[in-house]
Every structure is written in C-alpha cells, then in structure tokens.
Amino acid sequence: MQNKKMTRVTAAIMGSVAMVGGLAACSAEDAQNAKDKAGQVASEATSKAGDAGAKASEAMNDAKDKAGQATDSAKDAMNKVGLGLGNSAGEDVAEADLPESIKQVAGSFTNAYDEQAGSFVAAKKMGDAVAAEFENVTFVESPETGGVQPLIGKIRETWVNNGGLENKIGLPTAPEQVIDGGWEQTFTKDTMKWTSTDGQEYTDSYNNQ
C-alpha cells in the first residue's frame, strides 16, 4: 500500500517537472521568436532609414542642380540684356558679322581687373562705325577712332545709356586713363570723366550732354 502511494507521488512529481520543463522550453522559444522579430523590425527600420537618407540626399542634390541652373539662366539673361546697346539706334550686327579687327581684339582682351571680354551680347552699326558689346567691355571702331577702342566700367555704362553710337560725346579715341579721383577717356567731341571728391560718390562729367 505504501509503495503504491509513493508511486503516485513520484508520478505526480515527474509530471510537474515535465510541465515546468515544457513551460521553460516554451518561454525560451517565445523569447527567441521575440528577439528574432525585434531584429527583423530593427533591420527593416534601418533599411527604411537608409532609403529615406538616400532620397533626402538625392533631393538635396537635385535642388542644388536646379539652383545652379537658375543662376546660369539668370546670368545668361543678364548678358543678353547687357547695358542696353542692343536697344539703341543703329543696324543690328550678328557676332559672326563683326569686323575681324574687333574679333581679334576681343579674343585677346584683358582689362585692368584681369577680366576677359566675356560673352558677346549685342552689336550695332551706324554709318562706318561699329559698337560691339561683350560681357565686360564694349569695343568701338570707325575711321575716327584710330583703331578698336575699348569702353569699360562706368564710362562704358554712361556712353551706352546716353545713346551709344548716337551719344553727343562721339566715339572713343583712346582707352580710359587713371586720373586723380577716378578715370577719364577721350572721345571725338569731348572727354568724359568719372570722378569722386571723397572716394565714395562718383559722377560723370562732359560738356556735350
């Protein structure tokens, strides 16, 4: 009788041990599954973050490219508008039809600021005088100019804005020269000066305007 009771107790204990072992095994498996799931989620999140970063970088590069294109377009538009010589009186002259003398000077020109002539903007012809505007200089040539003469800076701007080939001061006969307080340039009918008394406010002066 005692042996049977002990057998039942032993069986009960073994069953409990088996149940606990099963529960432990189940818990370990669940923990591993949870760990695997967490790893998968983390991997997916990392992948998505990488994709998002790549897209952000691509968008930034696209924005830079578009900004650069906009800047180039603005510069091209500015060069085409130029100082207004193209809207002044005279017959339009295409770049290919410029006198060879102007083409040669433009190809080797460098101003006092180490700037080359730059892009062609517009050209006008009136009688035997030709004015060709480039980005950084305007060249004028006629039998009266003594060769191809360059106009730069504010003297160029003033000459173009006040009529170009129709300007009452006439045509340039020499490059501009540095003088006290600014610059001056001789023309067929007068000398234009761009000067300042204080080094800040500059004004042009010539008598025939």
Side-chain angles (χ1 to χ4, degrees):
M1 186 70 175
Q2 185 68 27
N3 289 336
K4 290 182 178 181
K5 186 174 181 180
M6 290 296 295
T7 299
R8 287 197 296 271
V9 171
T10 301
I13 292 172
M14 294 299 293
S16 297
V17 171
M19 182 178 295
V20 171
L23 291 174
C26 183
S27 297
E29 183 178 354
D30 290 343
Q32 185 62 44
N33 290 338
K35 183 178 179 181
D36 293 342
K37 183 66 175 179
Q40 182 179 356
V41 170
S43 178
E44 291 176 354
T46 300
S47 178
K48 289 180 179 179
D51 291 342
K55 290 180 180 179
S57 178
E58 183 178 354
M60 184 178 295
N61 289 334
D62 288 343
K64 288 182 180 179
D65 289 341
K66 290 179 180 179
Q69 291 171 5
T71 300
D72 292 341
S73 297
K75 185 175 180 180
D76 289 343
M78 181 183 67
N79 289 342
K80 289 178 181 177
V81 172
L83 299 176
L85 181 67
N87 296 324
S88 64
E91 176 187 349
D92 289 331
V93 179
E95 183 177 12
D97 297 328
L98 289 175
E100 287 301 320
S101 52
I102 290 181
K103 290 181 181 179
Q104 290 177 5
V105 172
S108 59
F109 176 81
T110 302
N111 65 20
Y113 309 102
D114 291 328
E115 296 174 326
Q116 296 181 338
S119 303
F120 173 77
V121 179
K124 289 287 185 176
K125 181 177 182 180
M126 186 175 290
D128 54 9
V130 176
E133 183 179 333
F134 290 78
E135 185 178 357
N136 298 312
V137 60
T138 296
F139 297 107
V140 181
E141 182 183 34
S142 84
E144 298 178 90
T145 61
V148 179
Q149 302 298 341
L151 292 166
I152 62 173
K154 284 295 184 178
I155 291 180
R156 168 173 88 133
E157 183 177 328
T158 302
W159 184 80
V160 171
N161 288 341
N162 285 283
L165 292 173
E166 285 191 319
N167 194 309
K168 293 179 182 180
I169 198 174
L171 307 176
T173 58
E176 71 173 28
Q177 301 294 322
V178 177
I179 60 173
D180 289 341
W183 301 264
E184 71 174 14
Q185 187 162 6
T186 57
F187 290 77
T188 52
K189 298 180 181 179
D190 202 349
T191 296
M192 187 190 302
K193 296 183 180 182
W194 187 260
T195 56
S196 169
T197 57
D198 60 6
Q200 296 180 354
E201 296 294 329
Y202 285 79
T203 57
D204 65 272
S205 62
Y206 51 112
N207 295 328
N208 288 305
Q209 289 293 308

